[in-house]
């Protein structure tokens, strides 16, 4: 079992939220781990809207804390303000504003102020969601027994492996692991990746910080996501991340989709293309 600290965020019972033709059952939690004295991850499971996010602060100082909380608060404010309109324009604007606010809030600090982000926001009909990502927080989807990593890491390590500059287990990749190419608080305010994904009953989604994905391999994540109760799955993921070393703060959100038990209204016009599974909005 993992050590409980005051900075851990306990895993509560999964929340249920009807979203068009599907129902969300979602839970999240966060633990400090064994390396850092405090938790610089930020977790958001919205109580009203189909919106979840994980944020990972860079470093272990006040700049990390400010960047994470500012990013969470800005996205919460602007997603709620634009609802029920959800799409690339609104989400890109929200991230741009978060970039501005993070830079402004940390201007007086003499230290690095930044964070990474992965969020998922569904459209009101429940058939399409948008993934928003900057950095190396990840989104996985378990569908029909196949676990897929849907996001890419915005790191030099990922880029080097992709282009064959070094192997994944090489010393060069290890050194490049924490060289982030995009993040909130970057002076150039880089745009996020935006990816439209179809939501289907029986899908399970995992959003997590690298304190989870760096500690657990593909097969273990897939096995743990087989647990039908999201709150139990989150507890297991966090416990395993600590048992495997706990070398970072670890945060996870698990979302399980089921068919809605009520008659859903006709879906509103969607911003999706005919094949939303394959739709990527590029910068």
């Amino acid at each position: 079992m993992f050590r409980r600290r005051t900075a851990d965020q306990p895993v509560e019972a999964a929340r249920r939220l009807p979203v068009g033709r599907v129902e969300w059952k979602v839970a999240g939690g966060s633990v400090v781990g064994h390396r850092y004295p405090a938790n610089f991850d930020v977790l958001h499971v919205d109580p009203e809207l189909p919106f979840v996010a994980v944020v990972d602060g860079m470093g272990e100082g006040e700049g990390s804390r400010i960047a994470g909380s500012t990013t969470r608060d800005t996205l919460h404010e602007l997603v709620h303000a634009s609802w029920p309109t959800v799409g690339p324009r609104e989400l890109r604007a929200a991230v741009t504003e978060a970039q501005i606010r993070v830079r402004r809030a940390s201007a007086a600090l003499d230290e690095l102020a930044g964070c990474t982000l992965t969020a998922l926001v569904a459209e009101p009909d429940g058939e399409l969601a948008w993934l928003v990502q900057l950095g190396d927080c990840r989104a996985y989807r378990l569908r029909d027994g196949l676990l897929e990593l849907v996001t890419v890491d915005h790191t030099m390590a990922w880029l080097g492996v992709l282009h064959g500059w070094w192997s994944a287990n090489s010393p060069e990749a290890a050194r490049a692991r924490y060289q982030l190419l995009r993040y909130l608080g970057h002076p150039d305010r880089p745009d996020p990746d935006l990816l439209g994904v179809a939501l289907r009953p029986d899908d399970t989604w995992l959003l997590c910080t690298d304190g989870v994905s760096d500690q657990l391999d593909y097969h273990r994540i897939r096995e743990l996501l087989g647990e039908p109760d999201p709150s139990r799955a989150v507890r297991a993921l966090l416990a395993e991340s600590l048992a495997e070393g706990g070398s970072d703060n670890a945060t996870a959100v698990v979302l399980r989709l089921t068919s809605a038990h009520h008659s859903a209204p006709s879906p509103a016009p969607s911003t999706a293309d005919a094949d939303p599974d394959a739709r990527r909005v590029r910068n």
Side-chain angles (χ1 to χ4, degrees), residues 18-22 50 83-86 121-128 264-265 267-269:
V19 187
R21 299 182 183 276
V22 298
W83 186 264
T85 304
V86 176
V121 187
E123 295 190 351
D125 62 14
E127 296 182 3
L128 181 79

Side-chain angles (χ1 to χ4, degrees), residues 187-204:
D188 294 332
R189 294 187 296 190
D191 285 334
D193 280 351
L194 291 172
L195 176 66
V197 293
L199 299 180
R200 298 182 185 176
D202 299 323
D203 282 355
T204 299

Side-chain angles (χ1 to χ4, degrees), residues 54 117-118 133 136-140 149 151-153 158 177 206-210 213-214 221:
V54 293
L117 161 74
T118 294
Q133 188 214 2
D136 58 356
C137 293
R138 291 182 171 183
Y140 294 87
L149 175 58
T151 54
V152 301
D153 294 348
W158 185 285
R177 174 66 184 85
L206 166 66
L207 273 62
C208 64
T209 61
D210 57 359
S213 58
D214 279 357
I221 292 174

Side-chain angles (χ1 to χ4, degrees), residues 21-214:
R21 299 182 183 276
V22 298
E23 181 179 71
W24 282 34
K25 189 177 181 183
V26 59
S30 185
V31 292
V32 177
H34 303 317
R35 178 180 178 183
Y36 295 113
N39 198 337
F40 300 97
D41 285 358
V42 177
L43 164 69
H44 182 73
V45 177
D46 200 278
E48 300 174 15
L49 300 183
F51 166 40
V52 295
V54 293
V55 180
D56 187 354
M58 297 167 59
E60 51 179 310
E62 188 63 17
S64 178
R65 193 185 308 279
I66 288 174
S69 61
T70 300
T71 296
R72 174 199 58 205
D73 295 346
T74 303
L75 290 180
H76 176 269
E77 173 191 337
L78 297 184
V79 168
H80 276 254
S82 66
W83 186 264
T85 304
V86 176
R89 184 185 302 275
E90 293 76 23
L91 295 172
R92 191 182 300 280
V95 172
T96 297
E97 181 62 22
Q99 291 271 29
I100 293 170
R101 294 184 186 182
V102 167
R103 296 285 294 175
R104 182 188 302 146
S106 61
L109 298 178
D110 187 22
E111 62 178 85
L112 175 66
C115 64
T116 63
L117 161 74
T118 294
L120 186 146
V121 187
E123 295 190 351
D125 62 14
E127 296 182 3
L128 181 79
W130 292 95
L131 279 169
V132 185
Q133 188 214 2
L134 273 169
D136 58 356
C137 293
R138 291 182 171 183
Y140 294 87
R141 180 181 64 193
L142 180 63
R143 174 180 288 175
D144 298 329
L146 174 65
L147 179 66
E148 296 179 89
L149 175 58
V150 182
T151 54
V152 301
D153 294 348
H154 299 148
T155 65
M156 279 299 298
W158 185 285
L159 196 64
V161 170
L162 179 66
H163 289 284
W165 300 340
W166 47 63
S167 65
N169 296 323
S170 66
E172 292 85 357
R175 286 193 294 270
R177 174 66 184 85
Y178 298 105
Q179 295 178 28
L180 287 164
L181 303 176
R182 284 191 264 173
Y183 59 88
L184 276 297
H186 192 290
D188 294 332
R189 294 187 296 190
D191 285 334
D193 280 351
L194 291 172
L195 176 66
V197 293
L199 299 180
R200 298 182 185 176
D202 299 323
D203 282 355
T204 299
W205 286 86
L206 166 66
L207 273 62
C208 64
T209 61
D210 57 359
V212 175
S213 58
D214 279 357

